[in-house]
Amino acid sequence: MSKNIITIGAVILALAVGIGAFGAHGLKATLESFGRVATFETGVKYHFYHGLGLLLLGALSDKVEGSWLKWSATFMILGIIIFSGSLYILSVTGMNWLGAITPIGGVGFIAAWVALAIGAKK
Protein backbone atom coordinates (compact mmCIF):
# COMPACT_ATOMS: atom_id res chain seq x y z
CA MET A 1 0.00 0.00 0.00
CA SER A 2 2.79 2.46 0.82
CA LYS A 3 4.24 2.17 -2.69
CA ASN A 4 0.83 2.93 -4.19
CA ILE A 5 0.33 5.99 -2.00
CA ILE A 6 3.84 7.26 -2.72
CA THR A 7 3.33 6.70 -6.46
CA ILE A 8 0.01 8.54 -6.43
CA GLY A 9 1.56 11.33 -4.35
CA ALA A 10 4.45 11.70 -6.80
CA VAL A 11 2.08 11.87 -9.78
CA ILE A 12 -0.08 14.43 -7.98
CA LEU A 13 3.02 16.52 -7.21
CA ALA A 14 4.13 16.35 -10.85
CA LEU A 15 0.66 17.57 -11.85
CA ALA A 16 0.86 20.39 -9.29
CA VAL A 17 4.14 21.59 -10.75
CA GLY A 18 2.79 21.33 -14.31
CA ILE A 19 -0.49 23.07 -13.50
CA GLY A 20 1.34 25.79 -11.56
CA ALA A 21 3.75 26.42 -14.45
CA PHE A 22 0.92 26.40 -16.98
CA GLY A 23 -1.01 28.90 -14.87
CA ALA A 24 1.98 31.18 -14.47
CA HIS A 25 2.83 31.18 -18.17
CA GLY A 26 0.09 29.81 -20.43
CA LEU A 27 -2.91 31.09 -18.49
CA LYS A 28 -1.47 34.35 -17.18
CA ALA A 29 -3.61 36.61 -19.39
CA THR A 30 -6.80 34.64 -18.67
CA LEU A 31 -6.20 34.59 -14.93
CA GLU A 32 -5.45 38.31 -14.90
CA SER A 33 -8.57 39.08 -16.96
CA PHE A 34 -10.74 37.35 -14.35
CA GLY A 35 -8.67 38.76 -11.48
CA ARG A 36 -8.04 35.22 -10.28
CA VAL A 37 -4.27 34.85 -10.13
CA ALA A 38 -4.30 34.53 -6.33
CA THR A 39 -7.19 32.05 -6.47
CA PHE A 40 -5.31 29.86 -8.93
CA GLU A 41 -2.16 30.07 -6.80
CA THR A 42 -4.15 28.98 -3.74
CA GLY A 43 -5.34 25.92 -5.65
CA VAL A 44 -1.77 25.05 -6.62
CA LYS A 45 -0.50 25.63 -3.08
CA TYR A 46 -3.02 23.28 -1.47
CA HIS A 47 -2.58 20.78 -4.31
CA PHE A 48 1.15 20.75 -3.58
CA TYR A 49 0.84 20.61 0.22
CA HIS A 50 -1.48 17.63 0.09
CA GLY A 51 0.60 15.87 -2.55
CA LEU A 52 3.43 16.07 0.00
CA GLY A 53 0.93 14.81 2.57
CA LEU A 54 0.42 11.70 0.45
CA LEU A 55 4.17 11.09 0.44
CA LEU A 56 4.10 11.42 4.22
CA LEU A 57 1.29 8.87 4.42
CA GLY A 58 3.28 6.45 2.30
CA ALA A 59 6.32 6.91 4.52
CA LEU A 60 4.22 6.34 7.66
CA SER A 61 2.44 3.27 6.35
CA ASP A 62 4.30 0.90 8.68
CA LYS A 63 3.38 3.02 11.70
CA VAL A 64 -0.30 3.82 11.03
CA GLU A 65 -3.17 1.34 11.07
CA GLY A 66 -4.03 0.43 7.46
CA SER A 67 -7.69 1.38 7.15
CA TRP A 68 -7.12 4.83 8.68
CA LEU A 69 -4.22 5.38 6.32
CA LYS A 70 -6.41 4.44 3.34
CA TRP A 71 -9.13 6.83 4.52
CA SER A 72 -6.60 9.59 5.00
CA ALA A 73 -5.17 9.09 1.50
CA THR A 74 -8.66 8.91 -0.01
CA PHE A 75 -9.76 12.13 1.70
CA MET A 76 -6.55 13.88 0.61
CA ILE A 77 -7.04 12.87 -3.01
CA LEU A 78 -10.71 13.93 -2.95
CA GLY A 79 -9.72 17.20 -1.29
CA ILE A 80 -7.22 17.93 -4.04
CA ILE A 81 -9.75 17.14 -6.76
CA ILE A 82 -12.59 19.14 -5.20
CA PHE A 83 -10.72 22.03 -3.52
CA SER A 84 -7.94 22.67 -6.00
CA GLY A 85 -9.96 21.51 -9.00
CA SER A 86 -12.82 23.91 -8.25
CA LEU A 87 -10.36 26.78 -7.80
CA TYR A 88 -8.65 25.96 -11.10
CA ILE A 89 -11.94 25.89 -12.98
CA LEU A 90 -13.22 29.01 -11.21
CA SER A 91 -10.00 30.82 -12.07
CA VAL A 92 -10.10 30.15 -15.80
CA THR A 93 -13.85 30.37 -16.37
CA GLY A 94 -14.97 33.03 -13.89
CA MET A 95 -17.83 30.76 -12.78
CA ASN A 96 -18.23 32.15 -9.26
CA TRP A 97 -20.73 29.49 -8.15
CA LEU A 98 -17.83 27.02 -8.03
CA GLY A 99 -16.66 28.83 -4.91
CA ALA A 100 -19.52 27.08 -3.10
CA ILE A 101 -17.95 23.68 -3.87
CA THR A 102 -14.45 24.56 -2.70
CA PRO A 103 -15.15 24.20 1.06
CA ILE A 104 -16.22 20.58 0.50
CA GLY A 105 -12.66 19.89 -0.60
CA GLY A 106 -11.39 21.73 2.48
CA VAL A 107 -13.47 19.41 4.64
CA GLY A 108 -11.82 16.52 2.79
CA PHE A 109 -8.41 17.88 3.76
CA ILE A 110 -9.45 18.21 7.39
CA ALA A 111 -10.89 14.68 7.38
CA ALA A 112 -7.61 13.38 5.92
CA TRP A 113 -5.55 14.84 8.74
CA VAL A 114 -8.03 13.72 11.39
CA ALA A 115 -7.99 10.18 9.97
CA LEU A 116 -4.19 10.21 10.14
CA ALA A 117 -4.32 11.39 13.76
CA ILE A 118 -6.76 8.63 14.72
CA GLY A 119 -4.73 6.00 12.89
CA ALA A 120 -1.53 7.14 14.55
CA LYS A 121 -3.17 6.99 17.97
CA LYS A 122 -4.32 3.37 17.53
Side-chain angles (χ1 to χ4, degrees):
M1 177 176 57
S2 65
K3 288 182 182 180
N4 290 339
I5 293 173
I6 291 170
T7 301
I8 292 167
V11 169
I12 284 174
L13 286 166
L15 286 171
V17 172
I19 290 169
F22 184 60
H25 303 290
L27 295 175
K28 186 176 181 181
T30 301
L31 295 173
E32 288 174 348
S33 72
F34 286 119
R36 298 288 187 185
V37 173
T39 301
F40 192 87
E41 289 174 351
T42 298
V44 172
K45 190 178 351 177
Y46 278 80
H47 185 156
F48 205 91
Y49 293 158
H50 289 87
L52 290 173
L54 287 166
L55 294 184
L56 173 69
L57 291 176
L60 292 175
S61 66
D62 63 335
K63 302 200 182 318
V64 177
E65 196 270 313
S67 65
W68 287 105
L69 190 74
K70 287 179 186 176
W71 279 110
S72 183
T74 300
F75 286 133
M76 256 187 222
I77 293 165
L78 288 173
I80 292 166
I81 292 167
I82 298 168
F83 184 90
S84 295
S86 66
L87 291 181
Y88 296 150
I89 295 168
L90 167 72
S91 297
V92 298
T93 65
M95 298 159 97
N96 290 327
W97 63 269
L98 282 167
I101 295 170
T102 306
I104 297 168
V107 170
F109 290 147
I110 294 166
W113 295 111
V114 169
L116 175 58
I118 292 169
K121 189 73 175 160
K122 290 194 175 252

